[in-house]
């Protein structure tokens, strides 16, 4: 199994990355602020520095002031560096909680002897403390971040690297994602793909997924199933059995069922 981080294992965008970007703008004396709705639209651009640069290139204030391309690039770099410091501090301070059902699923996978990897294109500086604080890093056999995969999703590089490092055949791996670029990256890497949508992604990803729900679900609080191409998750609870069925049905491989 290979998990995405932002939006998938932890709801980190709206009250996490967005807040850190806004604080970075303020710290640097820049007149920008991203509200929740605007940030949702900006999530189509993966990678924090690219997100800032894309925003600056289309912002009316920047255009009116006639910023040169070099200035835009420099400001994007500086804002992102400060945002990374701020978000790393948030990650270290344990202000986040896992999405419901993630820890149960990780326990289930560990009991089943399934190797678990992470493929995110977020910055390594915050990814490691965030994962360690929420789940303990030892749970993950492999962690690929933006440092190792500079080509951001939807490029499949992060997934290719995670699968290679796990030393398994892509046909035996499922990815867990929350966003359109993430699903595309997983599908380009030929992985079975489960999507757990969140408030920002509920409208844009479900149709690309093999299985999509609005959460991982728990036995006493099942998630709503949005797409279930292979009828693998009738109860709305993602567990090892569901994922084994999914991989087997998507790739036509026969994995041992226990
Ligand atoms: C996550 C991202 C990241 C974060 C910000 O992508 O797009 O850009 O929003 O992280 P994914 P950085 O969930 O698909 O891996 O600022 O560190 O880039
Ligand atoms: Mg994500």
């Amino acid at each position: 199994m290979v998990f995405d981080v932002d939006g998938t294992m932890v709801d980190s965008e709206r009250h996490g990355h967005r807040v850190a970007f806004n604080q970075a703008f303020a710290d640097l004396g820049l007149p920008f602020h991203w509200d929740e709705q605007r940030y949702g639209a900006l999530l189509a651009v993966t990678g924090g520095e690219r997100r800032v640069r894309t925003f600056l290139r289309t912002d009316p204030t920047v255009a009116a002031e006639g910023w040169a391309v070099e200035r835009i690039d420099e400001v994007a770099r500086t804002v992102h560096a400060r945002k990374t410091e701020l978000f790393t501090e948030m990650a270290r301070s344990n202000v986040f909680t896992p999405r419901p059902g993630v820890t149960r699923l990780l326990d289930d996978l560990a009991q089943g002897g399934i190797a678990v990897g992470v493929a995110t294109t977020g910055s390594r500086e915050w990814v490691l403390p965030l994962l360690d604080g929420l789940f303990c890093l030892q749970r993950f056999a492999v962690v690929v971040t933006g440092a190792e995969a500079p080509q951001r999703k939807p490029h499949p590089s992060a997934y290719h690297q995670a699968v290679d490092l796990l030393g398994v055949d892509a046909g035996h791996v499922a990815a867990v994602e929350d966003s359109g670029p993430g699903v595309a990256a997983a599908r380009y890497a030929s992985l079975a793909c489960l999507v757990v949508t969140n408030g920002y992604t509920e409208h844009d990803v479900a149709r690309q997924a093999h299985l999509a729900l609005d959460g991982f679900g728990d036995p006493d609080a099942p998630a709503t199933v949005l797409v279930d191409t292979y009828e693998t998750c009738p109860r709305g609870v993602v567990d090892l059995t569901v994922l084994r069925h999914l991989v087997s049905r998507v790739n036509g491989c026969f994995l041992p069922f226990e």
Side-chain angles (χ1 to χ4, degrees):
M1 289 293 307
V2 182
F3 285 77
D4 169 52
V5 178
D6 283 314
T8 299
M9 301 180 91
V10 52
D11 217 340
S12 52
E13 293 288 4
R14 194 183 303 259
H15 302 297
H17 291 290
R18 186 184 69 88
V19 173
F21 280 115
N22 284 333
Q23 186 61 49
F25 290 139
D27 288 356
L28 296 164
L30 294 163
F32 308 119
H33 181 88
W34 291 345
D35 64 24
E36 292 187 16
Q37 195 182 355
R38 162 161 279 199
Y39 191 67
L42 285 165
L43 284 174
V45 183
T46 52
E49 187 176 328
R50 286 178 67 219
R51 191 168 300 145
V52 177
R53 194 181 307 117
T54 302
F55 163 78
L56 293 174
R57 280 181 184 158
T58 54
D59 182 68
T61 313
V62 171
E65 291 181 6
W67 289 25
V69 171
E70 295 75 18
R71 181 168 175 203
I72 289 177
D73 288 349
E74 176 58 25
V75 170
R77 256 196 308 277
T78 312
V79 168
H80 190 248
R82 179 68 187 131
K83 177 263 168 181
T84 300
E85 286 174 1
L86 292 162
F87 192 78
T88 303
E89 202 40 55
M90 290 168 89
R92 287 204 184 112
S93 314
N94 289 322
V95 295
F96 299 108
T97 49
R99 285 189 70 179
V102 178
T103 307
R104 170 193 55 74
L105 178 58
L106 288 175
D107 288 344
D108 205 17
L109 295 171
Q111 271 182 6
I114 305 297
V116 176
V118 165
T120 173
T121 49
S123 305
R124 194 166 188 87
E125 289 92 322
W126 61 258
V127 170
L128 297 184
L130 183 74
L131 291 176
D132 203 27
L134 293 180
F135 308 109
C136 193
L137 265 183
Q138 276 76 9
R139 278 189 190 264
F140 304 103
V142 164
V143 178
V144 176
T145 71
E148 296 78 39
Q151 289 168 296
R152 302 310 197 224
K153 296 174 188 174
H155 196 285
S157 159
Y159 279 109
H160 280 150
Q161 291 187 52
V163 169
D164 284 353
L165 288 165
L166 284 172
V168 290
D169 188 295
H172 290 184
V173 178
V176 190
E177 272 289 351
D178 71 304
S179 72
V183 183
R187 297 290 309 267
Y188 287 141
S190 306
L191 307 183
C193 191
L194 158 69
V195 167
V196 282
T197 62
N198 58 53
Y200 272 141
T201 64
E202 57 203 354
H203 302 298
D204 68 336
V205 295
R207 72 196 131 84
Q208 303 172 53
H210 296 113
L211 170 64
L213 302 91
D214 66 356
F216 291 91
D218 272 319
D220 55 354
T224 301
V225 179
L226 307 170
V227 174
D228 192 357
T229 313
Y230 299 101
E231 298 181 2
T232 50
C233 192
R235 289 186 304 116
V237 179
V238 179
D239 60 17
L240 176 53
T241 305
V242 167
L243 293 169
R244 278 189 192 280
H245 275 104
L246 184 71
V247 170
S248 156
R249 295 298 300 274
V250 170
N251 292 312
C253 63
F254 297 97
L255 301 176
F257 287 86
E258 284 156 16

